Amino acid sequence: MSSVKNTKVNEYINEVCSLIKNKKVHAEIKEELLSHIEDIIYDSIQSGISLDAAIDKALLQMGSAEVIGRDLNKAHKCNSDWILLTMTSALIFFGFLTTGFLQFNSFTLTEDYSPNYFGKLLVFLGVSIVLALLSLKLDYRKLKNYSLSLYIFNIILIVLTLFLSPYVNGMRRWLFIGSLSIDTLTITPILLIVSLAGIFDSYNWNNRKSLIKGFTLVFIPSMLFLATSSISTTLIYLIASFTVMHISGLKTKHLVMTFSFFATIFSLAIFSGPYYRKDRFFAF
């Protein structure tokens, strides 16, 4: 941070930042502006100008705070990912179309019972939009500090599901808290990948101890997912975990060894389990 401490300088920089809507870049811009101003002040003082006069000269040389603020706002504008937004909208539309078709052509429609799939989807869509808007205000980079805590929380959640939840369609995935039911096998894989992304950021895969620790962190949830009898959840989790490990710097040879190890366990879980698993696997 610059050593210049002056009211005029602070007011100038704050005026510039007030015109920049992307608050995430404010700290970086303040640092850069202070650095430029300090360089000009130092050169002016070296030429024999007083500090106050040097500050005035520096601010004049920097130019209009309004012009700079507007230009920087354009340069650091948060652009929407229109491709992703278009794809998401198309999937939502397709979901509504499919759900509407199912509701109006359902074989379960009777005078006493008429499933309101469409109405439920509207509720879920409304909740999802609210959560999405709230997430835009979240600086996800701050989650990195809680990566290990998030990982431990999810492990505990899966363990509680294994011991406390009843079997539903041959799987233990619903954790009941009073009248509230939580599908832990839908939530935990996503949160685990988020936590692993934070843990493996700048991770030292070249150290043998760290390598074993990283494999263990990926291995524990996969075994717990297999214990819940959800092969599909295990597979999705492992694919995402391998991707995170590779991006974080894991060498290809170690990645192949890890993949082979988990593929062996995955195969044993399928072929040593109930016969329907093999049938579903080969049908897929």
Side-chain angles (χ1 to χ4, degrees):
M1 183 64 69
S2 172
S3 59
V4 174
K5 303 293 182 182
N6 183 272
T7 304
K8 291 181 181 180
V9 174
N10 291 333
E11 288 178 353
Y12 178 87
I13 293 174
N14 289 332
E15 184 180 354
V16 172
C17 289
S18 67
L19 298 171
I20 303 172
K21 295 180 180 180
N22 187 357
K23 295 182 179 180
K24 295 180 180 179
V25 300
H26 281 193
E28 181 180 348
I29 289 174
K30 286 182 178 180
E31 180 74 24
E32 186 176 353
L33 290 175
L34 280 169
S35 178
H36 287 310
I37 293 172
E38 186 180 45
D39 289 340
I40 298 172
I41 292 174
Y42 178 78
D43 291 339
S44 298
I45 291 176
Q46 289 294 103
S47 63
I49 300 177
S50 66
L51 176 61
D52 290 337
I55 291 175
D56 291 336
K57 180 181 178 181
L59 296 180
L60 183 63
Q61 189 171 328
M62 289 293 294
S64 171
E66 184 177 355
V67 174
I68 294 176
R70 288 179 178 177
D71 289 342
L72 288 174
N73 182 54
K74 293 178 181 179
H76 296 279
K77 187 176 181 181
C78 295
N79 296 320
S80 300
D81 192 337
W82 292 108
I83 295 177
L84 180 60
L85 186 60
T86 301
M87 292 174 62
T88 304
S89 301
L91 288 172
I92 292 173
F93 174 77
F94 181 75
F96 271 100
L97 188 66
T98 305
T99 304
F101 177 82
L102 289 173
Q103 179 167 332
F104 295 114
N105 296 275
S106 176
F107 291 107
T108 59
L109 289 174
T110 63
E111 294 182 358
D112 299 326
Y113 177 71
S114 178
N116 187 16
Y117 301 126
F118 203 81
K120 290 182 178 180
L121 186 60
L122 280 174
V123 174
F124 290 140
L125 178 62
V127 173
S128 300
I129 291 175
V130 172
L131 292 176
L133 292 175
L134 290 175
S135 67
L136 291 175
K137 301 295 183 180
L138 176 67
D139 187 356
Y140 61 88
R141 293 172 295 183
K142 294 181 180 179
L143 292 175
K144 180 182 176 182
N145 298 328
Y146 306 98
S147 297
L148 185 58
S149 299
L150 184 62
Y151 177 88
I152 295 173
F153 170 77
N154 281 277
I155 295 298
I156 294 174
L157 199 61
I158 302 172
V159 172
L160 289 176
T161 303
L162 279 171
F163 285 97
L164 300 180
S165 67
Y167 280 101
V168 178
N169 295 328
M171 290 188 297
R172 288 181 170 178
R173 63 182 303 152
W174 295 94
L175 187 61
F176 293 92
I177 304 175
S179 60
L180 178 66
S181 58
I182 303 174
D183 186 355
T184 55
L185 293 193
T186 299
I187 300 172
T188 50
I190 299 173
L191 296 180
L192 280 168
I193 295 304
V194 172
S195 65
L196 288 177
I199 294 172
F200 291 154
D201 184 43
S202 303
Y203 197 75
N204 182 18
W205 289 106
N206 296 320
N207 182 277
R208 179 175 295 183
K209 186 177 180 180
S210 298
L211 188 67
I212 296 173
K213 179 183 175 182
F215 288 159
T216 303
L217 289 172
V218 174
F219 177 77
I220 293 174
S222 62
M223 293 299 98
L224 292 175
F225 286 137
L226 282 177
T228 62
S229 301
S230 179
I231 301 296
S232 58
T233 301
T234 308
L235 182 60
I236 293 171
Y237 164 76
L238 287 176
I239 292 174
S241 297
F242 292 152
T243 304
V244 171
M245 294 166 75
H246 180 63
I247 292 174
S248 63
L250 181 65
K251 293 181 180 179
T252 303
K253 65 176 183 179
H254 291 144
L255 185 65
V256 172
M257 291 171 58
T258 308
F259 176 80
S260 302
F261 174 73
F262 281 106
T264 302
I265 295 177
F266 185 76
S267 300
L268 290 173
I270 293 177
F271 294 104
S272 63
Y275 69 91
Y276 67 85
R277 286 184 179 175
K278 295 189 284 289
D279 293 340
R280 288 172 60 185
F281 178 76
F282 286 111
F284 173 75

